Amino acid sequence: MTNRLYYHDSFLYAFDAEVRQTLENPRPALVLDRSAFYPTSGGQVHDIGTITIADSNQNLRVTEVRDTEDGRVVHYLEAPIKDVKPGTRVHGYIDPTRRRDHMQQHSGQHVLSAAFVHLFDMHTVSFHMADDYCSIDLDTPSLTKEQIEAAERMANEIILENRRVDIRFVTREEAGKMGLRKIPIADRDELRIIDIRDFDLSACGGTHVHQTGQIGCILLRKAERVRQGWRLEFVAGQRAVATARRDFTELTEAATMLSAHIYDVPQQVRKSLDEIRGLRKQADLSRDELATLQASAVLAETPEANGRKLIVRTFADRDLNSIKLLAQKLTRLASNAVALLATTSPQPSLVFAQSPGQPFDMGALMKQTVATLNGRGGGTRDMAQGGIPKAYGIEGALSSLAQHLSTPG
Ligand SMILES: [Zn+2]
C-alpha cells in the first residue's frame, strides 16, 4: 500500500520517496512507497506534476494518477523510464496551481452541499469535477431559483467567515455518533473526516483547504433536472473569477454589437427578434406577391402547344422553396400548365408540377430525371421535387424531358 501524504497535508507539494514498482504496460508508470499525488477518486480528479530520479536527475512527467483496489497509487508517466529499479530514491513535485484549484472546487463542494442540507434538507448524491466546472446532484424533486440563490449566499457567507477546515481520523463507531453528512459504505474501520467548523462533517479522502476563506467564492451556474433529482453546476475560487470574466467579455461583445449597456442586452435581443419576426412575415408576403406576378408574366409569354403551356426554366441563386412557390402559382393560375423548374445554386434542385387534371405523373418523371443526375427526389402526380449533387447537366435533362412531353401521343 502507498502511504498517502495528502491524507494529512493537502498543501504538501514536494516530497521524497522510494520506488516500489516500475510498470511498462499498457503505459509506463511508477509505484512509490509514499506519495503526495492525489489519484482520481471521490469525484475529484488526479494531480499532475513530475517525479525526479535522485541520482540521475531524470525528470519524469506525471500525466495521470490512479489508485488500485489493493491501495497502491500508480503514477502514469509521459515517457518510458530508463534504469529505474525498486529502491531508487525519487523527489515528487505536484503542480500547485492545479492542486489549489482542485482544493477550491472540492472544499467549495462540501460547503455548498452542507448549505443545501442546512437550508432545505436537500442531500447531495454525487459530485463531479470537470476541467472547467463542477456539478453536484441533489436528491430533490424540485429546486427553485430562490433556493439556489439562498444556498449560494449561505455558502459564500461560510467562506467569508474563514472557518477552520480540519482533517480528523475516527472509527466508524465514533463517526456514527458525530452526525456526519455523509458516511461511505466501505469495509475500512478508520474514517477520514473533513470538519468545517460548526458547519459540516463528512467522510472524504480528498484534498481540502485549511480555512474556508481559501475557497475564495462560489458561483452557481446551470441547474437541470436529472433522473435522480437536480444537477447543479458550480465554480469556485479562481474558476469562478475566470468564468465571471468570460461571461463579462462575451456579454460586452454582444452589448457592443447592439450598442447597448450589458444589462439591456436581453431587452435589445427581444426587440431585435420581434423585428426579425415582423420582417420575415413581410418578406413572405412580398415573395408570394412576386411569385404571383412572375407566374402571370411567364404564363402570358408562353404559347400553348397541344392544349397546354409547357414552362421550362433554370434559375441561379434561388432556393428550392422559391422555385416551388413559383411552380405552385403557375399550376394554380392556369388550368393547363406543366412546369419544369430548376435552380443551380445554392443547392442544385428541381421542381416539376402540373395543373390538376393534366395527364403526366410528376413524381415518376422526377424519379427518372434525378436518377440520371445522381440525385434523389420524388413526389405526387401533380408536384415533385428533387435534389442533385451538381448543377452540371440540369439544362440538358430538362430540355430532353420537355421534348418528350411535347411530343403528341
Ligand atoms: Zn469530499
Side-chain angles (χ1 to χ4, degrees):
M1 263 175 64
T2 310
N3 179 8
R4 295 166 193 239
L5 304 171
Y6 63 83
Y7 264 174
H8 304 275
D9 186 0
S10 303
F11 287 81
L12 181 71
Y13 300 142
F15 64 99
D16 295 330
E18 199 178 287
V19 173
R20 279 277 177 272
Q21 210 183 347
T22 59
L23 305 166
E24 291 299 337
N25 286 310
R27 286 178 289 159
L30 282 179
V31 178
L32 310 175
D33 62 335
R34 57 212 292 275
S35 180
F37 278 93
Y38 186 83
T40 297
S41 51
Q44 184 180 332
V45 286
H46 63 86
D47 284 315
I48 56 170
T50 52
I51 291 175
T52 305
I53 308 301
D55 293 336
S56 67
N57 279 332
Q58 193 185 160
N59 264 326
L60 309 165
R61 282 183 60 83
V62 177
T63 54
E64 197 188 342
V65 188
R66 285 206 220 165
D67 57 5
T68 63
E69 291 211 347
D70 60 1
R72 285 171 299 152
V73 174
V74 183
H75 307 79
Y76 289 96
L77 306 169
E78 191 183 47
I81 325 156
K82 280 174 263 158
D83 308 322
V84 176
K85 294 179 190 66
T88 303
R89 302 292 307 165
V90 298
H91 306 301
Y93 302 97
I94 286 157
D95 180 330
T97 309
R98 182 172 160 105
R99 164 64 70 83
R100 267 197 296 271
D101 170 54
H102 292 175
M103 287 195 286
Q104 288 182 323
Q105 309 313 312
H106 199 157
S107 299
Q109 180 258 315
H110 281 218
V111 172
L112 183 61
S113 291
F116 274 106
V117 173
H118 284 288
L119 289 171
F120 311 113
D121 198 31
M122 288 179 190
H123 290 260
T124 296
V125 288
S126 74
F127 164 47
H128 174 70
M129 189 189 284
D131 282 338
D132 47 3
Y133 70 92
C134 300
S135 66
I136 52 172
D137 285 359
L138 291 168
D139 182 14
T140 174
S142 67
L143 182 66
T144 65
K145 190 169 164 272
E146 289 73 26
Q147 287 173 322
I148 291 172
E149 287 176 9
E152 183 183 62
R153 201 175 312 118
M154 180 185 255
N156 281 301
E157 270 159 20
I158 296 297
I159 290 169
L160 284 175
E161 288 166 12
N162 202 22
R163 299 189 186 212
R164 271 189 71 111
V165 180
D166 290 308
I167 303 166
R168 288 159 62 180
F169 292 89
V170 298
T171 63
R172 189 163 281 274
E173 198 191 334
E174 285 167 329
K177 295 176 198 150
M178 287 167 67
L180 257 64
R181 179 165 57 78
K182 194 180 103 194
I183 296 188
I185 317 149
D187 47 10
R188 269 175 293 124
D189 189 49
E190 192 188 56
L191 292 181
R192 181 176 185 263
I193 310 291
I194 302 303
D195 180 353
I196 300 173
R197 177 143 318 163
D198 300 330
F199 189 64
D200 185 48
L201 288 167
S202 55
C204 175
T207 54
H208 289 273
V209 297
H210 286 324
Q211 308 263 152
T212 56
Q214 290 167 321
I215 297 167
C217 58
I218 291 186
L219 181 63
L220 300 197
R221 308 277 296 167
K222 201 166 106 190
E224 60 175 348
R225 278 203 79 102
V226 288
R227 225 180 311 150
Q228 281 213 55
W230 281 80
R231 177 161 301 162
L232 194 55
E233 287 182 14
F234 71 93
V235 278
Q238 291 286 13
R239 278 194 198 196
V241 177
T243 306
R245 167 60 50 200
R246 188 172 166 189
D247 290 354
F248 181 75
T249 306
E250 301 291 331
L251 204 49
T252 301
E253 194 183 330
T256 307
M257 285 192 278
L258 295 164
S259 304
H261 186 272
I262 57 167
Y263 296 151
D264 295 332
V265 165
Q267 196 199 332
Q268 287 297 324
V269 168
R270 219 171 287 128
K271 212 175 113 190
S272 298
L273 288 176
D274 281 348
E275 264 175 41
I276 290 168
R277 244 171 255 132
L279 289 170
R280 204 169 277 158
K281 220 171 176 180
Q282 257 178 36
D284 284 346
L285 272 172
S286 306
R287 205 173 290 134
D288 199 79
E289 274 177 28
L290 186 66
T292 305
L293 286 172
Q294 198 178 15
S296 310
V298 169
L299 286 170
E301 69 187 32
T302 306
E304 260 186 32
N306 305 319
R308 66 180 66 94
K309 292 188 172 196
L310 179 59
I311 298 125
V312 185
R313 286 274 199 294
T314 301
F315 300 94
D317 295 324
R318 289 224 192 171
D319 64 4
L320 174 65
N321 284 335
S322 79
I323 58 168
K324 224 161 121 182
L325 187 61
L326 180 60
Q328 279 165 359
K329 298 290 179 192
L330 287 167
T331 54
R332 270 178 216 160
L333 288 173
S335 59
N336 60 348
V338 174
L340 307 178
L341 308 182
T343 176
T344 54
S345 63
Q347 185 62 50
S349 312
L350 300 165
V351 172
F352 297 169
Q354 66 180 3
S355 306
Q358 289 300 310
F360 307 111
D361 183 343
M362 295 296 136
L365 291 173
M366 179 59 74
K367 277 200 176 127
Q368 288 165 21
T369 309
V370 290
T372 65
L373 297 167
N374 298 316
R376 293 165 60 136
T380 62
R381 254 187 68 83
D382 288 344
M383 168 73 80
Q385 67 182 63
I388 50 177
K390 281 183 200 142
Y392 181 76
I394 281 188
E395 292 196 54
L398 289 195
S399 66
S400 70
L401 180 58
Q403 192 120 41
H404 172 68
L405 295 188
S406 28
T407 309

